[in-house]
């Protein structure tokens, strides 16, 4: 966008909102990065900051021009996806209020701030510092400008701390013989899962070291039995040698709750 340079211990930079071609930049968020180099070529610690350019007239009504939020997270102290992060931006400076409500419209917690750019980090706790129950919560973002004009944005966020479960894992036929004779040339891996989940399936050497094939890495729905076929080939399309191979299955939901064990391991025999 544009760069500046100067010498000294204290640097003051004035940017008039123009790019390298001296055009006024569009309204929006911008990041400024600071880098320094001493006389003996030692680099200073890099720093950055975010600010906004806003040419919106004072009388214009406020608008939410950017909103990005976690749709679910899992505050269960397992170290994975423990918090919900909500970022938003208005077209002008406002006093903003972010509120979380139960399905019965009871206030759970609220956050406040001011400016054009806002950020909320919610750890899944209520105003009493207790972790809220698993449920879908309604969120309401309200921005009020200096003229009392108001804009709102409503959303939902799911608290989910329960890990999916699996069942009815079947590998059949086992053994199988991928020799092209039309009899048991493939094997089918099938199982049921109790929640919408990302499923990753690897075929490995029996010692769990060598990767043979990535069989699946897709999102599956709980209302369908997962069925995958392996034709006995590697990722390169080469038919494997006879022997035992490990099937490793990783399953986690959208809130990063994992099926245990993680991964599920079982063996299949190629003849």
């Amino acid at each position: 966008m544009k760069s500046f340079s100067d010498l000294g211990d204290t640097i003051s930079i004035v940017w008039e909102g123009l790019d390298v071609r001296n055009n006024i930049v569009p309204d929006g968020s911008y990041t400024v990065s600071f880098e320094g180099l001493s006389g003996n070529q030692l680099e200073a610690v890099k720093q950055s900051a975010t600010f906004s350019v806003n040419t919106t007239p004072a009388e214009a009504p406020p608008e939410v021009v950017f909103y990005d939020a976690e749709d679910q997270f899992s505050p269960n102290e397992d170290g994975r996806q423990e918090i919900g992060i909500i970022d938003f931006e208005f077209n002008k400076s406002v006093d903003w209020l972010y509120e979380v409500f139960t399905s019965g419209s009871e206030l759970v917690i609220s956050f406040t701030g001011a400016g054009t750019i806002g950020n909320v980090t919610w750890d899944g706790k209520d105003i009493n510092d207790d972790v809220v129950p698993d449920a879908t919560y309604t969120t309401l973002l309200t921005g009020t400008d200096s003229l009392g004009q108001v804009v709102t944005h409503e959303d939902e966020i799911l608290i989910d701390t329960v890990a999916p479960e699996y069942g009815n894992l079947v590998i059949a036929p086992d053994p199988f013989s991928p020799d092209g004779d039309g009899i048991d040339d493939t094997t089918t891996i099938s199982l049921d899962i109790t929640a919408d989940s990302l499923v990753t399936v690897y075929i490995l050497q029996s010692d769990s070291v060598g990767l043979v094939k990535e069989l699946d890495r897709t999102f599956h729905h709980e209302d369908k039995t997962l069925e995958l076929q392996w034709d006995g080939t590697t990722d390169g399309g080469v038919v494997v040698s006879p022997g035992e191979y490990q099937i490793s299955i990783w399953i986690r939901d959208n809130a990063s709750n994992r099926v245990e064990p993680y991964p599920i391991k079982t063996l299949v025999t190629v003849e």
Side-chain angles (χ1 to χ4, degrees):
M1 182 65 68
K2 196 161 188 177
S3 62
F4 303 85
S5 62
D6 205 343
L7 295 173
D9 297 328
T10 303
I11 306 298
S12 177
I13 294 173
V14 177
W15 180 45
E16 61 277 79
L18 303 178
D19 62 18
V20 292
R21 295 183 176 85
N22 286 324
N23 297 317
I24 297 176
V25 299
D27 286 7
S29 298
Y30 294 85
T31 299
V32 56
S33 297
F34 302 93
E35 300 179 11
L37 191 66
S38 69
N40 55 359
Q41 302 300 301
L42 293 177
E43 290 188 2
V45 177
K46 296 180 181 179
Q47 299 288 336
S48 63
T50 301
F51 62 94
S52 64
V53 171
N54 191 339
T55 59
T56 303
E59 65 275 11
E63 299 176 5
V64 178
V65 296
F66 174 79
Y67 185 91
D68 182 59
E70 305 281 352
D71 59 358
Q72 57 186 281
F73 65 101
S74 176
N76 58 3
E77 299 184 346
D78 65 0
R80 298 183 298 272
Q81 211 163 319
E82 294 281 346
I83 58 175
I85 299 175
I86 303 94
D87 295 301
F88 45 87
E89 184 176 351
F90 299 91
N91 66 329
K92 61 188 300 187
S93 184
V94 297
D95 292 323
W96 57 262
L97 170 66
Y98 182 86
E99 300 169 289
V100 181
F101 297 93
T102 66
S103 59
S105 300
E106 180 182 352
L107 179 65
V108 175
I109 197 167
S110 63
F111 305 84
T112 59
T116 57
I117 300 172
N119 172 272
V120 169
T121 299
W122 183 34
D123 58 5
K125 295 181 180 180
D126 61 19
I127 55 177
N128 298 316
D129 206 33
D130 296 322
V131 176
V132 299
D134 283 13
T136 298
Y137 294 84
T138 299
T139 65
L140 180 64
L141 173 65
T142 304
T144 306
D145 69 10
S146 59
L147 300 178
Q149 301 179 104
V150 175
V151 63
T152 60
H153 181 90
E154 189 171 311
D155 198 9
E156 290 184 341
I157 192 165
L158 172 66
I159 301 295
D160 176 14
T161 61
V162 178
E165 297 180 355
Y166 79 98
N168 302 321
L169 174 60
V170 177
I171 314 296
D174 182 20
F176 74 109
S177 54
D179 54 11
D181 65 356
I183 302 173
D184 293 342
D185 285 330
T186 64
T187 190
T188 299
I189 304 158
S190 63
L191 77 160
D192 299 326
I193 50 179
T194 60
D196 293 354
S197 300
L198 175 67
V199 179
T200 302
V201 181
Y202 288 152
I203 307 296
L204 304 168
Q205 301 287 349
S206 59
D207 57 9
S208 302
V209 176
L211 175 63
V212 176
K213 189 165 192 170
E214 181 180 299
L215 199 60
D216 188 46
R217 188 193 290 268
T218 53
F219 191 82
H220 294 272
H221 296 284
E222 62 175 306
D223 57 347
K224 294 182 179 179
T225 297
L226 169 64
E227 290 190 348
L228 299 170
Q229 280 195 336
W230 182 39
D231 60 3
T233 63
T234 67
D235 277 329
V238 178
V239 176
V240 299
S241 302
E244 280 192 331
Y245 292 85
Q246 180 177 293
I247 301 171
S248 293
I249 306 170
W250 286 261
I251 304 174
R252 64 173 177 84
D253 64 18
N254 275 339
S256 291
N257 299 305
R258 297 175 173 179
V259 163
E260 294 295 340
Y262 189 81
I264 305 161
K265 297 179 181 180
T266 188
L267 294 174
V268 65
T269 300
V270 174
E271 292 185 333

